[in-house]
Short mmCIF file of all heavy atoms in Angstrom, two decimals:
data_model
loop_
_atom_site.label_atom_id
_atom_site.label_comp_id
_atom_site.label_asym_id
_atom_site.label_seq_id
_atom_site.Cartn_x
_atom_site.Cartn_y
_atom_site.Cartn_z
N MET A 29 -53.14 20.36 24.16
CA MET A 29 -52.01 21.24 23.99
C MET A 29 -51.74 21.42 22.50
O MET A 29 -52.10 20.59 21.69
CB MET A 29 -50.78 20.66 24.67
CG MET A 29 -50.90 20.47 26.15
SD MET A 29 -49.33 20.17 26.87
CE MET A 29 -49.20 21.61 27.88
N ASN A 30 -51.04 22.47 22.18
CA ASN A 30 -50.74 22.76 20.80
C ASN A 30 -49.51 21.98 20.32
O ASN A 30 -48.63 21.63 21.12
CB ASN A 30 -50.49 24.25 20.62
CG ASN A 30 -51.73 25.04 20.83
OD1 ASN A 30 -52.84 24.54 20.61
ND2 ASN A 30 -51.59 26.27 21.26
N GLY A 31 -49.44 21.77 19.02
CA GLY A 31 -48.31 21.05 18.44
C GLY A 31 -46.98 21.78 18.57
O GLY A 31 -45.93 21.15 18.68
N TRP A 32 -47.03 23.11 18.62
CA TRP A 32 -45.78 23.87 18.71
C TRP A 32 -45.07 23.61 20.04
O TRP A 32 -43.84 23.65 20.11
CB TRP A 32 -46.03 25.37 18.52
CG TRP A 32 -46.91 25.98 19.55
CD1 TRP A 32 -48.25 26.16 19.49
CD2 TRP A 32 -46.50 26.50 20.83
NE1 TRP A 32 -48.71 26.75 20.64
CE2 TRP A 32 -47.66 26.97 21.48
CE3 TRP A 32 -45.29 26.63 21.46
CZ2 TRP A 32 -47.61 27.54 22.75
CZ3 TRP A 32 -45.25 27.20 22.74
CH2 TRP A 32 -46.40 27.64 23.36
N PHE A 33 -45.85 23.37 21.11
CA PHE A 33 -45.24 23.06 22.39
C PHE A 33 -44.40 21.79 22.32
O PHE A 33 -43.27 21.74 22.80
CB PHE A 33 -46.31 22.93 23.47
CG PHE A 33 -45.79 22.46 24.79
CD1 PHE A 33 -45.07 23.31 25.61
CD2 PHE A 33 -46.00 21.14 25.20
CE1 PHE A 33 -44.58 22.87 26.83
CE2 PHE A 33 -45.50 20.71 26.42
CZ PHE A 33 -44.79 21.58 27.24
N PHE A 34 -44.94 20.76 21.67
CA PHE A 34 -44.20 19.51 21.54
C PHE A 34 -43.04 19.63 20.56
O PHE A 34 -42.03 18.97 20.72
CB PHE A 34 -45.16 18.38 21.13
CG PHE A 34 -46.13 18.03 22.22
CD1 PHE A 34 -47.43 18.43 22.15
CD2 PHE A 34 -45.68 17.36 23.33
CE1 PHE A 34 -48.33 18.13 23.17
CE2 PHE A 34 -46.58 17.06 24.36
CZ PHE A 34 -47.89 17.44 24.28
N ALA A 35 -43.19 20.49 19.56
CA ALA A 35 -42.07 20.73 18.64
C ALA A 35 -40.91 21.40 19.37
O ALA A 35 -39.76 21.01 19.20
CB ALA A 35 -42.53 21.57 17.45
N LEU A 36 -41.23 22.40 20.19
CA LEU A 36 -40.18 23.07 20.97
C LEU A 36 -39.56 22.14 22.01
O LEU A 36 -38.34 22.14 22.20
CB LEU A 36 -40.73 24.31 21.64
CG LEU A 36 -41.08 25.47 20.73
CD1 LEU A 36 -41.73 26.61 21.54
CD2 LEU A 36 -39.85 25.97 20.01
N LEU A 37 -40.40 21.38 22.67
CA LEU A 37 -39.88 20.42 23.65
C LEU A 37 -39.02 19.36 22.99
O LEU A 37 -37.95 19.00 23.49
CB LEU A 37 -41.06 19.75 24.38
CG LEU A 37 -40.72 18.86 25.57
CD1 LEU A 37 -40.03 19.64 26.65
CD2 LEU A 37 -41.99 18.22 26.11
N GLY A 38 -39.43 18.88 21.82
CA GLY A 38 -38.63 17.92 21.08
C GLY A 38 -37.31 18.49 20.64
O GLY A 38 -36.26 17.84 20.68
N ALA A 39 -37.32 19.76 20.20
CA ALA A 39 -36.06 20.41 19.79
C ALA A 39 -35.12 20.58 20.98
O ALA A 39 -33.91 20.36 20.84
CB ALA A 39 -36.37 21.77 19.17
N LEU A 40 -35.66 20.90 22.11
CA LEU A 40 -34.83 21.03 23.31
C LEU A 40 -34.20 19.70 23.67
O LEU A 40 -33.01 19.59 23.96
CB LEU A 40 -35.65 21.57 24.47
CG LEU A 40 -34.94 21.65 25.82
CD1 LEU A 40 -33.88 22.73 25.76
CD2 LEU A 40 -35.94 21.96 26.91
N VAL A 41 -34.99 18.64 23.66
CA VAL A 41 -34.48 17.32 24.00
C VAL A 41 -33.48 16.83 22.96
O VAL A 41 -32.46 16.22 23.29
CB VAL A 41 -35.65 16.32 24.18
CG1 VAL A 41 -35.15 14.88 24.24
CG2 VAL A 41 -36.41 16.64 25.43
N GLY A 42 -33.72 17.14 21.69
CA GLY A 42 -32.75 16.77 20.65
C GLY A 42 -31.41 17.45 20.84
O GLY A 42 -30.36 16.85 20.69
N ALA A 43 -31.44 18.72 21.23
CA ALA A 43 -30.21 19.46 21.49
C ALA A 43 -29.49 18.90 22.71
O ALA A 43 -28.26 18.76 22.71
CB ALA A 43 -30.51 20.94 21.68
N VAL A 44 -30.24 18.58 23.74
CA VAL A 44 -29.62 17.98 24.93
C VAL A 44 -29.02 16.64 24.60
O VAL A 44 -27.89 16.33 25.03
CB VAL A 44 -30.66 17.85 26.08
CG1 VAL A 44 -30.15 16.98 27.21
CG2 VAL A 44 -31.04 19.22 26.59
N GLN A 45 -29.70 15.84 23.80
CA GLN A 45 -29.18 14.52 23.43
C GLN A 45 -27.89 14.67 22.63
O GLN A 45 -26.92 13.96 22.88
CB GLN A 45 -30.21 13.75 22.63
CG GLN A 45 -29.73 12.35 22.29
CD GLN A 45 -30.68 11.58 21.42
OE1 GLN A 45 -31.58 12.15 20.83
NE2 GLN A 45 -30.49 10.29 21.35
N ALA A 46 -27.84 15.59 21.69
CA ALA A 46 -26.61 15.80 20.92
C ALA A 46 -25.48 16.29 21.80
O ALA A 46 -24.34 15.89 21.63
CB ALA A 46 -26.88 16.80 19.78
N GLY A 47 -25.79 17.15 22.76
CA GLY A 47 -24.77 17.60 23.70
C GLY A 47 -24.23 16.47 24.56
O GLY A 47 -23.02 16.41 24.81
N LEU A 48 -25.11 15.61 25.03
CA LEU A 48 -24.65 14.48 25.83
C LEU A 48 -23.81 13.51 24.99
O LEU A 48 -22.84 12.95 25.48
CB LEU A 48 -25.84 13.74 26.43
CG LEU A 48 -26.58 14.47 27.54
CD1 LEU A 48 -27.83 13.71 27.96
CD2 LEU A 48 -25.67 14.68 28.74
N LEU A 49 -24.17 13.35 23.73
CA LEU A 49 -23.37 12.50 22.85
C LEU A 49 -21.99 13.12 22.61
O LEU A 49 -20.99 12.41 22.57
CB LEU A 49 -24.08 12.29 21.51
CG LEU A 49 -25.19 11.26 21.50
CD1 LEU A 49 -25.93 11.30 20.17
CD2 LEU A 49 -24.62 9.87 21.73
N ALA A 50 -21.93 14.44 22.45
CA ALA A 50 -20.66 15.11 22.24
C ALA A 50 -19.77 15.01 23.48
O ALA A 50 -18.53 14.94 23.35
CB ALA A 50 -20.88 16.58 21.91
N ARG A 51 -20.36 14.97 24.63
CA ARG A 51 -19.56 14.84 25.88
C ARG A 51 -18.90 13.49 25.98
O ARG A 51 -17.85 13.36 26.58
CB ARG A 51 -20.46 15.02 27.11
CG ARG A 51 -20.78 16.46 27.40
CD ARG A 51 -21.52 16.60 28.70
NE ARG A 51 -20.58 16.26 29.79
CZ ARG A 51 -20.95 16.12 31.05
NH1 ARG A 51 -22.22 16.27 31.37
NH2 ARG A 51 -20.09 15.85 31.97
N THR A 52 -19.51 12.46 25.40
CA THR A 52 -18.96 11.11 25.55
C THR A 52 -17.94 10.75 24.49
O THR A 52 -17.37 9.67 24.54
CB THR A 52 -20.10 10.07 25.52
OG1 THR A 52 -20.77 10.15 24.26
CG2 THR A 52 -21.08 10.27 26.64
N VAL A 53 -17.69 11.65 23.54
CA VAL A 53 -16.71 11.37 22.49
C VAL A 53 -15.32 11.35 23.12
O VAL A 53 -14.92 12.27 23.81
CB VAL A 53 -16.77 12.44 21.37
CG1 VAL A 53 -15.63 12.28 20.40
CG2 VAL A 53 -18.11 12.35 20.67
N GLY A 54 -14.60 10.28 22.88
CA GLY A 54 -13.24 10.15 23.39
C GLY A 54 -13.14 9.67 24.83
O GLY A 54 -12.06 9.56 25.33
N THR A 55 -14.25 9.39 25.46
CA THR A 55 -14.21 8.87 26.83
C THR A 55 -14.80 7.48 26.85
O THR A 55 -15.29 6.98 25.84
CB THR A 55 -15.01 9.78 27.79
OG1 THR A 55 -16.36 9.79 27.39
CG2 THR A 55 -14.47 11.21 27.77
N HIS A 56 -14.76 6.88 27.98
CA HIS A 56 -15.38 5.57 28.14
C HIS A 56 -16.89 5.71 28.10
O HIS A 56 -17.44 6.69 28.60
CB HIS A 56 -14.95 4.92 29.47
CG HIS A 56 -13.48 4.66 29.52
ND1 HIS A 56 -12.89 3.67 28.77
CD2 HIS A 56 -12.49 5.26 30.20
CE1 HIS A 56 -11.58 3.68 29.02
NE2 HIS A 56 -11.32 4.64 29.88
N PRO A 57 -17.58 4.74 27.54
CA PRO A 57 -19.05 4.81 27.51
C PRO A 57 -19.61 4.83 28.94
O PRO A 57 -19.12 4.13 29.81
CB PRO A 57 -19.48 3.52 26.81
CG PRO A 57 -18.25 2.93 26.24
CD PRO A 57 -17.07 3.55 26.90
N GLN A 58 -20.59 5.68 29.14
CA GLN A 58 -21.21 5.80 30.45
C GLN A 58 -22.67 5.34 30.35
O GLN A 58 -23.49 6.02 29.72
CB GLN A 58 -21.12 7.23 30.94
CG GLN A 58 -19.70 7.70 31.11
CD GLN A 58 -19.61 9.17 31.42
OE1 GLN A 58 -20.59 9.89 31.35
NE2 GLN A 58 -18.45 9.61 31.79
N PRO A 59 -22.98 4.19 30.95
CA PRO A 59 -24.34 3.66 30.83
C PRO A 59 -25.41 4.61 31.37
O PRO A 59 -26.50 4.65 30.86
CB PRO A 59 -24.30 2.37 31.65
CG PRO A 59 -22.86 2.02 31.76
CD PRO A 59 -22.10 3.30 31.67
N ALA A 60 -25.07 5.40 32.37
CA ALA A 60 -26.07 6.31 32.94
C ALA A 60 -26.46 7.37 31.93
O ALA A 60 -27.65 7.73 31.81
CB ALA A 60 -25.53 6.97 34.22
N LEU A 61 -25.51 7.91 31.18
CA LEU A 61 -25.83 8.92 30.16
C LEU A 61 -26.60 8.31 29.01
O LEU A 61 -27.48 8.94 28.44
CB LEU A 61 -24.57 9.60 29.65
CG LEU A 61 -23.90 10.58 30.60
CD1 LEU A 61 -22.63 11.17 29.97
CD2 LEU A 61 -24.86 11.68 31.00
N THR A 62 -26.29 7.08 28.68
CA THR A 62 -27.05 6.40 27.62
C THR A 62 -28.49 6.22 28.04
O THR A 62 -29.40 6.49 27.26
CB THR A 62 -26.41 5.02 27.31
OG1 THR A 62 -25.04 5.24 26.92
CG2 THR A 62 -27.14 4.32 26.20
N LEU A 63 -28.70 5.79 29.26
CA LEU A 63 -30.05 5.63 29.78
C LEU A 63 -30.77 6.96 29.85
O LEU A 63 -31.95 7.05 29.50
CB LEU A 63 -30.01 4.96 31.15
CG LEU A 63 -31.35 4.67 31.80
CD1 LEU A 63 -32.15 3.70 30.95
CD2 LEU A 63 -31.16 4.11 33.19
N LEU A 64 -30.08 8.01 30.27
CA LEU A 64 -30.68 9.33 30.34
C LEU A 64 -31.13 9.82 28.96
O LEU A 64 -32.23 10.33 28.81
CB LEU A 64 -29.70 10.33 30.95
CG LEU A 64 -30.17 11.78 31.03
CD1 LEU A 64 -31.35 11.90 31.98
CD2 LEU A 64 -29.01 12.67 31.47
N ARG A 65 -30.29 9.62 27.94
CA ARG A 65 -30.67 10.02 26.59
C ARG A 65 -31.89 9.26 26.12
O ARG A 65 -32.81 9.85 25.54
CB ARG A 65 -29.50 9.76 25.63
CG ARG A 65 -28.37 10.72 25.79
CD ARG A 65 -27.40 10.62 24.62
NE ARG A 65 -27.07 9.30 24.20
CZ ARG A 65 -25.98 8.62 24.56
NH1 ARG A 65 -25.12 9.16 25.38
NH2 ARG A 65 -25.76 7.42 24.10
N LEU A 66 -31.94 7.97 26.35
CA LEU A 66 -33.08 7.16 25.93
C LEU A 66 -34.35 7.57 26.66
O LEU A 66 -35.43 7.66 26.05
CB LEU A 66 -32.80 5.68 26.15
CG LEU A 66 -31.76 5.07 25.23
CD1 LEU A 66 -31.47 3.64 25.64
CD2 LEU A 66 -32.21 5.12 23.79
N VAL A 67 -34.27 7.84 27.94
CA VAL A 67 -35.44 8.24 28.71
C VAL A 67 -35.96 9.59 28.26
O VAL A 67 -37.16 9.80 28.14
CB VAL A 67 -35.12 8.22 30.23
CG1 VAL A 67 -36.19 8.91 31.05
CG2 VAL A 67 -34.93 6.79 30.70
N LEU A 68 -35.04 10.54 28.01
CA LEU A 68 -35.47 11.85 27.54
C LEU A 68 -36.21 11.78 26.23
O LEU A 68 -37.30 12.32 26.08
CB LEU A 68 -34.25 12.77 27.40
CG LEU A 68 -33.69 13.40 28.65
CD1 LEU A 68 -32.41 14.14 28.34
CD2 LEU A 68 -34.70 14.34 29.25
N VAL A 69 -35.62 11.12 25.26
CA VAL A 69 -36.25 11.04 23.94
C VAL A 69 -37.53 10.22 24.00
O VAL A 69 -38.56 10.63 23.46
CB VAL A 69 -35.27 10.43 22.92
CG1 VAL A 69 -35.93 10.18 21.58
CG2 VAL A 69 -34.08 11.33 22.73
N GLY A 70 -37.49 9.09 24.68
CA GLY A 70 -38.69 8.28 24.80
C GLY A 70 -39.82 8.98 25.52
O GLY A 70 -40.99 8.88 25.14
N GLY A 71 -39.47 9.73 26.56
CA GLY A 71 -40.50 10.45 27.30
C GLY A 71 -41.18 11.53 26.46
O GLY A 71 -42.41 11.66 26.48
N VAL A 72 -40.38 12.28 25.74
CA VAL A 72 -40.97 13.35 24.91
C VAL A 72 -41.81 12.74 23.79
O VAL A 72 -42.92 13.23 23.52
CB VAL A 72 -39.87 14.25 24.32
CG1 VAL A 72 -40.38 15.12 23.20
CG2 VAL A 72 -39.27 15.11 25.42
N LEU A 73 -41.33 11.70 23.14
CA LEU A 73 -42.12 11.10 22.07
C LEU A 73 -43.39 10.44 22.61
O LEU A 73 -44.43 10.49 21.97
CB LEU A 73 -41.27 10.11 21.29
CG LEU A 73 -40.13 10.72 20.47
CD1 LEU A 73 -39.32 9.65 19.76
CD2 LEU A 73 -40.63 11.77 19.51
N LEU A 74 -43.31 9.85 23.79
CA LEU A 74 -44.50 9.24 24.39
C LEU A 74 -45.55 10.32 24.73
O LEU A 74 -46.73 10.16 24.45
CB LEU A 74 -44.12 8.45 25.64
CG LEU A 74 -45.30 7.82 26.38
CD1 LEU A 74 -45.94 6.73 25.53
CD2 LEU A 74 -44.86 7.27 27.71
N LEU A 75 -45.09 11.41 25.36
CA LEU A 75 -46.02 12.49 25.69
C LEU A 75 -46.64 13.10 24.43
O LEU A 75 -47.83 13.42 24.41
CB LEU A 75 -45.31 13.58 26.49
CG LEU A 75 -44.94 13.22 27.92
CD1 LEU A 75 -44.13 14.34 28.55
CD2 LEU A 75 -46.19 12.94 28.76
N SER A 76 -45.82 13.23 23.38
CA SER A 76 -46.36 13.78 22.12
C SER A 76 -47.40 12.84 21.52
O SER A 76 -48.42 13.29 21.02
CB SER A 76 -45.24 13.96 21.10
OG SER A 76 -44.14 14.58 21.61
N ALA A 77 -47.12 11.55 21.58
CA ALA A 77 -48.05 10.57 21.00
C ALA A 77 -49.36 10.54 21.80
O ALA A 77 -50.43 10.48 21.21
CB ALA A 77 -47.42 9.20 20.99
N LEU A 78 -49.26 10.60 23.10
CA LEU A 78 -50.47 10.59 23.92
C LEU A 78 -51.33 11.84 23.69
O LEU A 78 -52.55 11.76 23.79
CB LEU A 78 -50.10 10.48 25.41
CG LEU A 78 -49.52 9.14 25.84
CD1 LEU A 78 -49.09 9.18 27.29
CD2 LEU A 78 -50.53 8.01 25.61
N ALA A 79 -50.67 12.95 23.37
CA ALA A 79 -51.43 14.18 23.11
C ALA A 79 -51.88 14.29 21.65
O ALA A 79 -52.57 15.23 21.30
CB ALA A 79 -50.58 15.39 23.49
N GLY A 80 -51.44 13.36 20.82
CA GLY A 80 -51.83 13.39 19.42
C GLY A 80 -50.96 14.27 18.54
O GLY A 80 -51.35 14.65 17.45
N HIS A 81 -49.76 14.60 19.01
CA HIS A 81 -48.86 15.47 18.25
C HIS A 81 -47.52 14.80 18.07
O HIS A 81 -46.46 15.43 18.23
CB HIS A 81 -48.65 16.81 18.99
CG HIS A 81 -49.89 17.60 19.09
ND1 HIS A 81 -50.48 18.23 18.01
CD2 HIS A 81 -50.67 17.90 20.15
CE1 HIS A 81 -51.56 18.86 18.41
NE2 HIS A 81 -51.71 18.68 19.71
N LEU A 82 -47.52 13.52 17.69
CA LEU A 82 -46.27 12.78 17.53
C LEU A 82 -45.41 13.35 16.41
O LEU A 82 -44.19 13.44 16.55
CB LEU A 82 -46.56 11.30 17.26
CG LEU A 82 -45.35 10.40 17.10
CD1 LEU A 82 -44.48 10.43 18.35
CD2 LEU A 82 -45.78 8.99 16.81
N VAL A 83 -46.00 13.75 15.32
CA VAL A 83 -45.23 14.27 14.19
C VAL A 83 -44.51 15.57 14.61
O VAL A 83 -43.33 15.75 14.31
CB VAL A 83 -46.13 14.50 12.97
CG1 VAL A 83 -45.38 15.21 11.86
CG2 VAL A 83 -46.68 13.18 12.48
N ALA A 84 -45.20 16.42 15.33
CA ALA A 84 -44.57 17.68 15.77
C ALA A 84 -43.43 17.40 16.75
O ALA A 84 -42.37 18.01 16.65
CB ALA A 84 -45.60 18.57 16.43
N GLY A 85 -43.63 16.48 17.67
CA GLY A 85 -42.57 16.15 18.64
C GLY A 85 -41.38 15.52 17.97
O GLY A 85 -40.24 15.85 18.27
N ALA A 86 -41.61 14.59 17.03
CA ALA A 86 -40.52 13.93 16.33
C ALA A 86 -39.79 14.90 15.42
O ALA A 86 -38.55 14.87 15.32
CB ALA A 86 -41.05 12.75 15.54
N ALA A 87 -40.51 15.79 14.76
CA ALA A 87 -39.87 16.78 13.87
C ALA A 87 -39.03 17.75 14.70
O ALA A 87 -37.93 18.12 14.28
CB ALA A 87 -40.92 17.52 13.07
N GLY A 88 -39.54 18.15 15.84
CA GLY A 88 -38.77 19.03 16.71
C GLY A 88 -37.52 18.36 17.22
O GLY A 88 -36.43 18.97 17.24
N TRP A 89 -37.63 17.09 17.62
CA TRP A 89 -36.47 16.35 18.10
C TRP A 89 -35.43 16.25 16.98
O TRP A 89 -34.24 16.49 17.22
CB TRP A 89 -36.86 14.96 18.59
CG TRP A 89 -35.65 14.13 18.86
CD1 TRP A 89 -34.88 14.13 19.98
CD2 TRP A 89 -35.03 13.21 17.96
NE1 TRP A 89 -33.84 13.28 19.84
CE2 TRP A 89 -33.91 12.70 18.62
CE3 TRP A 89 -35.35 12.77 16.69
CZ2 TRP A 89 -33.07 11.75 18.01
CZ3 TRP A 89 -34.52 11.84 16.09
CH2 TRP A 89 -33.39 11.33 16.74
N LEU A 90 -35.86 15.88 15.79
CA LEU A 90 -34.92 15.72 14.67
C LEU A 90 -34.23 17.04 14.35
O LEU A 90 -33.01 17.05 14.13
CB LEU A 90 -35.65 15.19 13.45
CG LEU A 90 -34.80 14.95 12.22
CD1 LEU A 90 -33.77 13.88 12.50
CD2 LEU A 90 -35.68 14.53 11.05
N THR A 91 -34.95 18.12 14.36
CA THR A 91 -34.36 19.42 14.06
C THR A 91 -33.35 19.81 15.15
O THR A 91 -32.22 20.24 14.83
CB THR A 91 -35.45 20.50 13.97
OG1 THR A 91 -36.38 20.10 12.95
CG2 THR A 91 -34.88 21.84 13.63
N GLY A 92 -33.73 19.68 16.40
CA GLY A 92 -32.82 20.02 17.49
C GLY A 92 -31.58 19.16 17.49
O GLY A 92 -30.46 19.65 17.70
N PHE A 93 -31.76 17.87 17.24
CA PHE A 93 -30.62 16.94 17.22
C PHE A 93 -29.69 17.27 16.07
O PHE A 93 -28.48 17.28 16.21
CB PHE A 93 -31.14 15.50 17.13
CG PHE A 93 -30.03 14.48 17.22
CD1 PHE A 93 -29.47 14.17 18.43
CD2 PHE A 93 -29.58 13.85 16.08
CE1 PHE A 93 -28.44 13.24 18.51
CE2 PHE A 93 -28.57 12.91 16.16
CZ PHE A 93 -27.99 12.62 17.38
N ALA A 94 -30.26 17.53 14.90
CA ALA A 94 -29.43 17.82 13.72
C ALA A 94 -28.65 19.11 13.88
O ALA A 94 -27.46 19.17 13.57
CB ALA A 94 -30.30 17.89 12.48
N VAL A 95 -29.28 20.16 14.40
CA VAL A 95 -28.60 21.44 14.56
C VAL A 95 -27.50 21.33 15.62
O VAL A 95 -26.35 21.73 15.40
CB VAL A 95 -29.60 22.55 14.91
CG1 VAL A 95 -28.90 23.83 15.34
CG2 VAL A 95 -30.52 22.82 13.73
N ALA A 96 -27.84 20.79 16.77
CA ALA A 96 -26.85 20.66 17.84
C ALA A 96 -25.76 19.66 17.48
O ALA A 96 -24.59 19.85 17.82
CB ALA A 96 -27.53 20.26 19.14
N GLY A 97 -26.12 18.60 16.78
CA GLY A 97 -25.12 17.63 16.34
C GLY A 97 -24.14 18.21 15.35
O GLY A 97 -22.94 17.93 15.40
N THR A 98 -24.63 19.03 14.44
CA THR A 98 -23.77 19.68 13.48
C THR A 98 -22.83 20.67 14.17
O THR A 98 -21.63 20.71 13.86
CB THR A 98 -24.61 20.43 12.42
OG1 THR A 98 -25.47 19.49 11.78
CG2 THR A 98 -23.73 21.10 11.39
N ARG A 99 -23.34 21.42 15.11
CA ARG A 99 -22.48 22.35 15.85
C ARG A 99 -21.44 21.61 16.67
O ARG A 99 -20.28 22.01 16.70
CB ARG A 99 -23.34 23.22 16.77
CG ARG A 99 -24.18 24.23 16.01
CD ARG A 99 -24.88 25.19 16.90
NE ARG A 99 -23.86 26.03 17.55
CZ ARG A 99 -23.99 26.56 18.77
NH1 ARG A 99 -25.08 26.31 19.45
NH2 ARG A 99 -23.06 27.30 19.25
N ALA A 100 -21.83 20.52 17.30
CA ALA A 100 -20.87 19.73 18.09
C ALA A 100 -19.82 19.10 17.18
O ALA A 100 -18.64 19.06 17.53
CB ALA A 100 -21.59 18.67 18.88
N HIS A 101 -20.24 18.62 16.02
CA HIS A 101 -19.28 18.00 15.09
C HIS A 101 -18.25 19.03 14.61
O HIS A 101 -17.05 18.74 14.55
CB HIS A 101 -20.03 17.41 13.90
CG HIS A 101 -19.13 16.88 12.85
ND1 HIS A 101 -18.38 15.74 13.02
CD2 HIS A 101 -18.85 17.33 11.61
CE1 HIS A 101 -17.68 15.51 11.93
NE2 HIS A 101 -17.94 16.47 11.04
N ARG A 102 -18.71 20.21 14.30
CA ARG A 102 -17.78 21.26 13.86
C ARG A 102 -16.83 21.68 14.97
O ARG A 102 -15.67 21.98 14.74
CB ARG A 102 -18.56 22.47 13.36
CG ARG A 102 -19.23 22.21 12.04
CD ARG A 102 -19.94 23.45 11.55
NE ARG A 102 -20.61 23.16 10.30
CZ ARG A 102 -21.48 23.95 9.70
NH1 ARG A 102 -21.76 25.10 10.29
NH2 ARG A 102 -22.03 23.61 8.58
N ARG A 103 -17.32 21.71 16.19
CA ARG A 103 -16.48 22.08 17.32
C ARG A 103 -15.44 20.99 17.62
O ARG A 103 -14.33 21.31 18.02
CB ARG A 103 -17.34 22.31 18.56
CG ARG A 103 -16.61 22.97 19.68
CD ARG A 103 -17.48 23.28 20.88
NE ARG A 103 -18.83 23.69 20.54
CZ ARG A 103 -19.90 23.26 21.16
NH1 ARG A 103 -19.81 22.42 22.17
NH2 ARG A 103 -21.09 23.67 20.81
N LEU A 104 -15.81 19.73 17.41
CA LEU A 104 -14.88 18.63 17.74
C LEU A 104 -13.85 18.38 16.65
O LEU A 104 -12.87 17.70 16.89
CB LEU A 104 -15.67 17.35 18.00
CG LEU A 104 -16.50 17.35 19.26
CD1 LEU A 104 -17.38 16.11 19.32
CD2 LEU A 104 -15.62 17.44 20.50
N ARG A 105 -14.07 18.90 15.46
CA ARG A 105 -13.10 18.67 14.37
C ARG A 105 -11.86 19.43 14.57
O ARG A 105 -11.45 20.24 15.05
CB ARG A 105 -13.67 19.10 13.02
CG ARG A 105 -14.42 18.02 12.39
CD ARG A 105 -14.70 18.27 10.94
NE ARG A 105 -15.37 19.54 10.71
CZ ARG A 105 -15.57 20.06 9.52
NH1 ARG A 105 -15.12 19.46 8.48
NH2 ARG A 105 -16.22 21.17 9.38
#
């Protein structure tokens, strides 16, 4: 598979992770959401590593997480 696929998949998972983190702000910690975030990120990074595109997957995740996290932070302020 191409590296761009893992970069896009990583960006999607990063955005989902930031959204799930924004949902838990101000509420009680939910272990199920914590586990879901870890499984999503771990799964994408594992698939990227197995395909030989770990850098693309990690860069995509970081970009998606940073963009969605910034948007969520601005919305919550």
Side-chain angles (χ1 to χ4, degrees):
M29 299 193 115
N30 292 332
W32 62 268
F33 173 75
F34 292 105
L36 290 176
L37 187 62
L40 176 68
V41 168
V44 168
Q45 183 184 16
L48 289 174
L49 281 172
R51 283 186 68 189
T52 61
V53 172
T55 62
H56 296 289
Q58 298 173 350
L61 286 180
T62 302
L63 182 62
L64 177 66
R65 287 192 317 261
L66 290 174
V67 167
L68 280 173
V69 173
V72 165
L73 293 179
L74 178 67
L75 288 175
S76 314
L78 291 175
H81 296 289
L82 181 59
V83 173
W89 171 82
L90 181 63
T91 303
F93 184 77
V95 169
T98 302
R99 290 187 67 211
H101 174 71
R102 288 182 182 170
R103 192 177 324 138
L104 291 173
R105 272 195 305 171

